Each structure stands twice: as structure tokens, then as C-alpha cells.
Amino acid sequence: MVDPKLAERLANVQGGIADAVRLAGRPADEVTTIVVTKFQPVSLVRDLVELGIRDFGESRHQEAQAKAADLAGADIRWHFVGQVQGKKARQVRAYASVIHSVDRDSLVTALGTPLDSTAPAGSDALRTVECFVQVNLTEDPARGGVSIPDLAPLVERVLATDGLTLLGLMAVAPLGADPKRSFALVAELGAQMRGIAPAAKCLSMGMSQDYAAAIAEGATHLRIGTAITGNRPAPVNLKTS
Ligand SMILES: *Cc1c(COP(=O)(O)O)cnc(C)c1O
């Protein structure tokens, strides 16, 4: 049976999202909620599927790959929201419907496919993966994301790469900053980017603590973890092999 506390947290967040969407005067179907299940057991993902969730976010490749394999055949979409190692890029691409964290040229190269016309229909070599370019709003390169001055060239690079469909921009609001101002900046960068990428209309922004501000600034993809899942267990130490 599904934990009633989980159902209650989900309903609370869904109510909060509906309120924020209404307040912003935006159509409800413009906003996709991704439940971030990193460090959580696959049983929790199953419970959320039972509660009607179809979009799940993960940030570590080995864990995401294992969950995707466990739930193979389920009608769900995996969103990869963490930093992608170049040498794991092809593997992430194999199970992820959307990669939110494209942040450098070498990763675009690793993810891109020279579309192979001899590949069997439905194979990875022909499948296009949707992606966001992640923008780093801090001065700390370890945070992930491309710096603002390097954003436009990276967007050009994604547009020129077969096998990738650019949805828009992704960002995490920096700690200690006003999230509304951070998200307004992302929206502004998104508007500028549409000069070169008119179809890339989406904004992946807003987490447990700041989703209402993100909705007010135009978020189309919310990435919400703990407000729905409850606290995360400590990360399991994974083998590095
Ligand atoms: C963990 C994570 C989230 C969800 O964070 P919560 O504060 O638990 O909602 C969203 N985006 C990214 C990139 C994350 O790593």
C-alpha cells in the first residue's frame, strides 16, 4: 500500500503548484512536474507511479540506470538532472528521455549521434534525446552549468548536433540569493536564446523550496524532490568501477 504521508505531501505540492500557476495566469498544462527521486529506493518510485506520476528525475548515473532497468516497460520518463560524465554520456542517453544538464562542448559531442541511416528503427542510434542547457548562476564552476558568457556558443553547438533536441534552459537558484531574481534572469536569458533557437521555449527551474517563484517567472519544468518524497536517505556509497 502507498504510504498515506507520501500521498499527502504529493497532494500538498500539487495544490501549491496549481495555486502558483493560477496566480501567474498561466495555463496549467504548461507546467510539468518532475519528481526527483535520487537516493530514494525504487519502491518509492513505484508508489509515485501508482499515485499518477510519470516524470522522474535522477542525478547519479549508476542509480538512475538501475532504476530505469527495474522499471523497464513502465509508462514513465526519466529526466537526468545531475552532472553527466563524458564517458557515461552514451549510457545516460540510452535510458533518459530528457537530459537537463548539458553544460559543455565535450558533452554535446559525446551525446550527439551521427544519425546512422542503417540502424534499425527505434534503436539508440536514431533516437533523438531532448535536452536543456544548464546555466550556472554562481561563480563556482563546480556547481555545473555553463557560464553566461559561454551560453550562446553552447546553444549554437547543440543546435548543430544531430540526435539532440534543445528544449530550453535549466538552472538552480544559488543559495542565499533571491530565487525570484535568479529565475527572472534565466527567463531573460531564455528569451535572448530564442533569437537563435526559436523552438527552445522551456525553462527547467524550481525545486522544493522555490517552485512558486519559478512558476511566477515562467518555469515549464519543475524538479521537486524532498517536498514530495520526504527527506532523502544518506547516499549509498557506490563502487567507482
Ligand atoms: C536534488 C535536485 C533537485 C530536487 O531538490 P529538492 O530540494 O529536494 O526539491 C532538483 N534539481 C536538481 C538538479 C537536483 O540535484
Side-chain angles (χ1 to χ4, degrees), residues 31-81:
V31 178
T32 299
T33 302
I34 298 153
V35 182
V36 178
T37 47
K38 64 185 179 205
F39 310 165
Q40 302 285 359
V42 72
S43 57
L44 184 108
V45 180
R46 286 187 206 282
D47 285 354
L48 286 162
V49 169
E50 205 164 311
L51 293 169
I53 300 299
R54 293 293 174 266
D55 290 275
F56 292 94
E58 288 287 335
S59 64
R60 294 196 313 180
H61 164 60
Q62 278 180 293
E63 182 185 344
Q65 187 180 45
K67 284 176 180 165
D70 247 340
L71 292 168
D75 171 27
I76 60 182
R77 291 155 51 85
W78 293 101
H79 297 252
F80 198 83
V81 304

Side-chain angles (χ1 to χ4, degrees), residues 35 45 79 92 96 113 116 145 156 158 164 194 219 221 232 237:
V35 182
V45 180
H79 297 252
V92 172
T113 346
D116 174 2
E156 302 261 19
V158 173
L164 294 177
R194 283 196 290 283
H221 291 68
R232 280 186 277 273
N237 239 335

Side-chain angles (χ1 to χ4, degrees), residues 197-222:
K201 296 192 172 111
C202 298
L203 297 173
S204 168
M205 56 190 196
M207 312 186 353
S208 290
Q209 302 306 321
D210 55 22
Y211 67 80
I215 291 167
E217 297 303 329
T220 60
H221 291 68
L222 310 172

Side-chain angles (χ1 to χ4, degrees), residues 158-171:
V158 173
L159 293 174
T161 302
D162 282 335
L164 294 177
T165 299
L166 183 65
L167 294 184
L169 299 184
M170 180 277 223

Side-chain angles (χ1 to χ4, degrees), residues 56-139:
F56 292 94
E58 288 287 335
S59 64
R60 294 196 313 180
H61 164 60
Q62 278 180 293
E63 182 185 344
Q65 187 180 45
K67 284 176 180 165
D70 247 340
L71 292 168
D75 171 27
I76 60 182
R77 291 155 51 85
W78 293 101
H79 297 252
F80 198 83
V81 304
Q83 293 184 32
V84 183
Q85 275 180 279
K87 61 178 200 257
K88 302 291 182 192
R90 303 297 307 180
Q91 292 180 45
V92 172
R93 196 187 194 286
Y95 58 79
S97 296
V98 189
I99 298 173
H100 290 240
S101 41
V102 173
D103 62 357
R104 58 196 190 278
D105 281 355
S106 61
L107 181 57
V108 174
T109 305
L111 286 170
T113 346
L115 290 183
D116 174 2
S117 57
T118 62
S123 79
D124 180 55
L126 286 174
R127 194 170 68 89
T128 287
V129 68
E130 296 183 321
C131 68
F132 288 90
V133 167
Q134 181 180 355
V135 189
N136 187 350
L137 302 178
T138 75
E139 303 289 318

